[in-house]
Structures are given as C-alpha cells and as structure tokens.
Amino acid sequence: QLQLQESGPGLVKPSETLSLTCTVSGGSIGSSSYYWGWIRQPPGKGLEWIGNIYYGGSTYYNPSLKSRVIISVDTSKNQLSLTLTSVTAADTAVYFCARGMYFYDSSLLKRDAFDIWGQGTMVTVSS
Amino acid sequence: DIQMTQSPSSLSASVGDRVTITCRASQNIRNYLNWYQQRPGKAPKLLIYAASTLQSGVPSRFSGSGSGTDFALTISSLQPEDFATYYCQQGYNTPRSFSFGQGTKLEIK
C-alpha cells in the first residue's frame, strides 16, 4: 500500500525559505504511471494547489506562487521536495503531498486526480 | 485561470437526507472535474473523478454529474460519517494548472 509522509520544520521565519520533503513508501516515485503534487490549506480555509511534477521532470506551478516555488524529485531517495522562498505569514498552512493518478472515463478518455495523500504537515511562518 | 465556485458554502442536513452540492467552472472544463471529501484534521479523500466516476471503495450513495461548466455531487442518504467538507477540483488544463473550489461544509442538523 503506497504511503506518503511529509516532513520538515514546523516553524519558519518571515523572508526565509520553507523546505519540505515527502517520502514515498510502498511504491516507486519514478513510475511513469503517476505524477506528484503539493497542496496547502491555511488554518480554517480551503485547499490551494501549489504545483505538480511529472515523469521526466516537467513542473507546473500555481501562477500566484510560481516565482517562489520549486518542486523536485529525488528518485534515489524516493522523495518529493517543495521549496518556497521569501515566506510570509500568508504561507502559514498545512502542506500536503499527493500522488496524481491517471484514469479512463466512461468514454475511455484519459483523466487524472489526486488519489493518495499524505497526512499533511503544519508550517507556521512567524518570527 | 479557471475559477471554481461551489454552493452552498455550508449546509445543514440530517442522517438519511439526500443532499446535493454544486460546483461551477468559469469556463468549459468538459468533464475534468474531481470531488474530494475532507474530514476534520484529515487529508482529503478522492470520491469521484471525471465528474461522474466513483473511485474504488467509495460507497454508492455518492454520485457525480455534469459536464461543461456545471457539476453536482449528490449523497443519496446521508450517513454520520458523511459530515465533512467537500471540494471540487478542475484539471482541464492538465498538466498546466489545477484549482479547487472553496469547499462546502456539510454539518449535522
């Protein structure tokens, strides 16, 4: 059973860089059948997509965060990473990693969704 | 960017009720629409993908419908474990850009 576990510092100072890791167990992060994403949720608020990384290394980011975000994969460690620079209090949130899986709909058209999620890790930005 | 708008933002219902949550996209997204359930303090769980296909293991009381800009999630007979927050998510421009609705909190009446 594939599992995802986020880890990283729970407290980051304003203007500094937030770095999180998502460790994948029970499967390979390097499979071409999946992609990987980061999603965050500020306290008491909704979900915000941060970005995805696809097989081959292509990355796509939320336009509102694009200038500050880097997502990468280390296949040797089976880990996904998130780097967010110049953080402010607005970046305080629970950060989730998730696996994106491809499905076929009733017309056999290819679709996708996040089918497995990590439990999330809370990051607070404060001095 | 594609904006997703859910309604209502919150909903009170009783066990056994039939409820429907709607999600509207700011442009045609065909059926690139997924639904997730999130219980307090937990990660979201995929319920439905491609607007109407039930994810494996999800009870059949959940159903999804719609295409284009208007979508719905229906729970035919609410169970105690269904009281949670529900989110729609579009992936039309996949792999370039995803977005979530603001969520609908389903509470016990």
Side-chain angles (χ1 to χ4, degrees):
Chain A
Q1 178 77 348
L2 189 93
Q3 292 186 320
L4 309 179
Q5 179 68 60
E6 304 88 349
S7 59
L11 181 65
V12 181
K13 289 183 168 56
S15 80
E16 294 191 345
T17 296
L18 180 162
S19 296
L20 297 176
T21 297
C22 172
T23 300
V24 178
S25 59
S28 173
I29 200 171
S31 170
S32 61
S33 299
Y34 311 109
Y35 61 90
W36 306 89
W38 286 97
I39 301 98
R40 70 181 183 178
Q41 185 170 37
K45 297 187 178 181
L47 301 170
E48 179 181 31
W49 174 71
I50 299 172
N52 294 343
I53 186 166
Y54 293 82
Y55 179 76
S58 297
T59 52
Y60 297 88
Y61 302 124
N62 186 321
S64 69
L65 299 170
K66 186 176 181 179
S67 63
R68 300 193 292 128
V69 174
I70 298 174
I71 293 175
S72 61
V73 162
D74 186 332
T75 54
S76 67
K77 296 181 179 178
N78 229 29
Q79 289 180 335
L80 172 71
S81 295
L82 170 69
T83 301
L84 182 65
T85 61
S86 304
V87 298
T88 70
D91 296 310
T92 294
V94 175
Y95 285 75
F96 296 99
C97 59
R99 184 183 80 171
M101 181 165 180
Y102 298 102
F103 303 90
Y104 289 89
D105 69 9
S106 56
S107 300
L108 299 181
L109 296 172
K110 194 175 184 180
R111 299 291 182 260
D112 59 276
F114 293 118
D115 70 323
I116 298 177
W117 295 62
Q119 65 184 27
T121 187
M122 180 68 200
V123 178
T124 301
V125 178
S126 175
S127 56
Chain B
D1 297 351
I2 299 175
Q3 308 300 319
M4 307 301 294
T5 303
Q6 290 182 230
S7 61
S9 296
S10 63
L11 174 60
S12 295
S14 302
V15 173
D17 284 354
R18 178 185 178 93
V19 298
T20 296
I21 297 166
T22 63
C23 177
R24 175 165 288 178
S26 59
Q27 67 181 71
N28 186 346
I29 59 169
R30 295 163 64 183
N31 69 338
Y32 287 85
L33 191 284
N34 306 316
W35 288 99
Y36 300 86
Q37 175 195 66
Q38 186 180 31
R39 297 189 176 110
K42 300 295 185 182
K45 171 187 173 183
L46 178 64
L47 296 177
I48 288 171
Y49 61 88
S52 60
T53 305
L54 210 59
Q55 169 67 333
S56 176
V58 174
S60 59
R61 62 181 180 273
F62 290 92
S63 64
S65 63
S67 184
T69 60
D70 294 308
F71 302 88
L73 172 69
T74 298
I75 309 172
S76 60
S77 178
L78 278 172
Q79 299 301 300
E81 60 269 28
D82 299 338
F83 292 94
T85 300
Y86 294 85
Y87 293 93
C88 61
Q89 174 248 319
Q90 68 81 20
Y92 177 68
N93 286 329
T94 184
R96 289 179 293 280
S97 180
F98 290 13
S99 54
F100 290 89
Q102 82 277 17
T104 295
K105 186 174 184 179
L106 180 53
E107 299 174 302
I108 300 174
K109 184 182 289 184

